[in-house]
Amino acid sequence: MHELRRLLIGTEQARLGDLERRLEDPERLAEKLADALPDAVTRRAQRDERLAASLAPTFERLLRKSVEKDPDVMRDAVFPILGPAIRKAVAHAIAGLAQSINRTLEQTVTVRSLQWRLQSWRTGRPFAEIVMANSFVYRIEQVFLVHRETGLLLLQVAAPGCALSEPEAVSSMLTALGDFAHDSLDAAEHDSLEQLRVGELSVLVEAGSRALLCATVRGTPKPDLRQKLAEALEAVHAEKATALAEFHGDVDLFESVHPVLEACLVEQRLERADGGKKMMGPIALAAAAAVVLGLLTWSWLAGAGAARLRQQVTAALAAEPGVLVVESGVVDGRVFARGLADPLARPPAAVLAAAGLPVADVGLAFDVYAAPHAPFVRQRATVLLQPPPTVALEVEQGRLLLRGRASAEWLARARQLGVALPGVAAVVDRDCRVLDASALEVSQQAACAAGPRFAPGSAAVDGRQREHLAQAAVHLRDATATARALGAALRIGVVAYGDASETEVSVWRRLASRRAEAAIAALRPDCDGGAAWEARVAPFATRAGTARHVAFALELQPTEEEER
């Protein structure tokens, strides 16, 4: 048979052996994976987002460990990006806050201010912006002096409270637009850009022979404003004619014309019909104060209620395993919460509903991630590894613990796949021993030792027989679990014995068969594990009183593949 098998499938066996050696050789396996992995990752990433979702927890863990190990590396990497952005944002925020405070303090509790507050509440625009829009006809906020030939900024002045722009960018923009006009629009050489407008902001450009004077204007400027700019530019040319003609990059030479540019920072306010002298009467003032107080009280109560709801929402979600709150806040009186949620955890909306919070009043935006919560990790490991009933899975401090008994094939598979689970850093199997068919012999011997003995001429299962059968059932359940761990089904043969004291052979055989069937009927409810049961009669015993008992024969049934 060995020679016949070699002749029939010898080539296939050699190929299978080579394939097995490739799979078991880490270096050869790694070399093959290295060749296929880049293309596999690219194709999978083009198909859907599951690859990114599965790799995200690993990269997050690596990034966290890198930051914990050496935070200076991450700080140095992001500083060139975040540093300027933070400084610019803070500068703009402070400047805007100062401007808002200045404009608001200039107003008193008048009918006009109440109208502006109602307009701000109705349109959603800031009150300071409403004040500025209704208080000024125009206002020059910044003035730039630009060298006409090189396009370099020579000097800049700004009105108090105005957020400073990047002056070099303004001068470069004006120079580029002027060049575009000459090159693309066929403008005359002596022509220059005169005005730009973006929303409520205009840029007036007054051109001289050596320099440009640019003014940023908010509102609608009067016609005589350009004349004022022209006079200022003439004064600069008169005082700095030599410096402009022989300019080589030294902008400090133009500091002396700073007062000339500051004189251009003018503004014109709206004229009040009453000359600005008439104030509200005592009754009107009290009514206005009551209205303002009511609005402030309502706003404070609404804000306090939203802040309290935000705290409750954040606390409820943070206490839920598998839910991570990244950001929460209040926008336009509505509470929102954003973060990450594990699919195995309760949905955030269900968490808030269980806590008695108004889910409809909260905006929720949660992305999917794999939480390192031990019960969730164990559940995912159970689905992926499908452990046999002889194995117990536990998760402890990022380690997947295997306890019990399992086949060598399942243990090898668990070691490979377990470390790929999110939240599992290592697989520990020192408490899980390898199963083989010899474990069935141990269970069979223990079950036979616990088998019951029957009274002469009787097949009844009374209290004493039930105690013995209960002890045998424990070992039969172990045998069933062992067979399942080995990937096979179990056949349990219940063998009934008799002896010479039980009269003739025909009576004895019927009596032994009834004993086997009675034992099966008593054992099957306690040993329901998919095993096949078979009643058997043992050979006739010759000595009286030696063998009126039940024993067991355990056999592994072949799988469908083995039968084929």
Side-chain angles (χ1 to χ4, degrees), residues 403-546:
R403 293 192 171 99
R405 299 171 296 166
S407 64
E409 292 79 4
W410 184 89
L411 281 175
R413 178 171 173 269
R415 295 188 191 103
Q416 293 177 351
L417 300 181
V419 293
L421 286 167
V424 175
V427 176
V428 180
D429 59 357
R430 59 173 176 266
D431 294 331
C432 188
R433 61 186 180 89
V434 179
L435 276 177
D436 54 25
S438 62
L440 291 178
E441 298 180 4
V442 177
S443 298
Q444 176 176 309
Q445 293 175 1
C448 291
R453 294 183 177 274
F454 292 86
S458 173
V461 177
D462 57 14
R464 186 173 181 181
Q465 277 79 25
R466 291 188 182 279
E467 292 179 1
H468 286 277
L469 289 174
Q471 297 176 7
V474 174
H475 305 291
L476 296 178
R477 284 194 297 268
D478 289 343
T480 304
T482 300
R484 190 179 306 170
L486 293 173
L490 183 67
R491 180 183 297 277
I492 303 176
V494 181
V495 185
Y497 286 82
D499 62 14
S501 65
E502 294 175 329
T503 66
E504 57 190 49
V505 174
S506 59
V507 175
W508 164 76
R509 293 186 64 85
R510 289 195 300 270
L511 187 60
S513 177
R514 286 168 51 198
R515 288 171 177 167
E517 292 173 354
I520 292 176
L523 288 170
R524 192 190 296 269
D526 293 335
C527 302
D528 188 11
W533 296 82
E534 182 181 14
R536 301 178 185 177
V537 177
F540 185 74
T542 56
R543 288 194 302 117
T546 58

Side-chain angles (χ1 to χ4, degrees), residues 272-292:
R272 288 181 49 179
D274 55 5
K277 297 179 180 180
K278 186 176 180 180
M279 297 296 293
M280 301 176 63
I283 298 179
L285 183 62
V291 172
V292 173

Side-chain angles (χ1 to χ4, degrees), residues 166-184:
E166 296 182 5
E168 291 80 4
V170 174
S171 62
S172 300
M173 174 194 69
L174 294 174
T175 304
L177 290 176
D179 294 341
F180 169 77
H182 286 94
D183 297 340
S184 302

Side-chain angles (χ1 to χ4, degrees), residues 36 43 56 168 205 242 251 343 550:
R43 295 182 181 181
E168 291 80 4
V205 182
T242 304
V251 297
V550 170

Side-chain angles (χ1 to χ4, degrees), residues 53-108:
S54 62
L55 293 179
T58 302
F59 283 106
E60 290 171 1
R61 185 167 62 250
L62 293 176
L63 181 60
R64 187 183 305 111
K65 289 184 177 179
S66 176
V67 173
E68 291 175 354
K69 181 180 180 181
D70 190 358
D72 292 339
V73 175
M74 183 60 63
R75 182 193 61 203
D76 295 340
V78 302
F79 178 77
I81 301 174
L82 295 184
I86 293 173
R87 288 195 299 270
K88 184 176 180 180
V90 171
H92 281 283
I94 294 177
L97 178 61
Q99 180 180 0
S100 176
I101 293 175
N102 291 337
R103 296 304 172 197
T104 303
L105 291 178
E106 291 178 0
Q107 304 301 316
T108 59

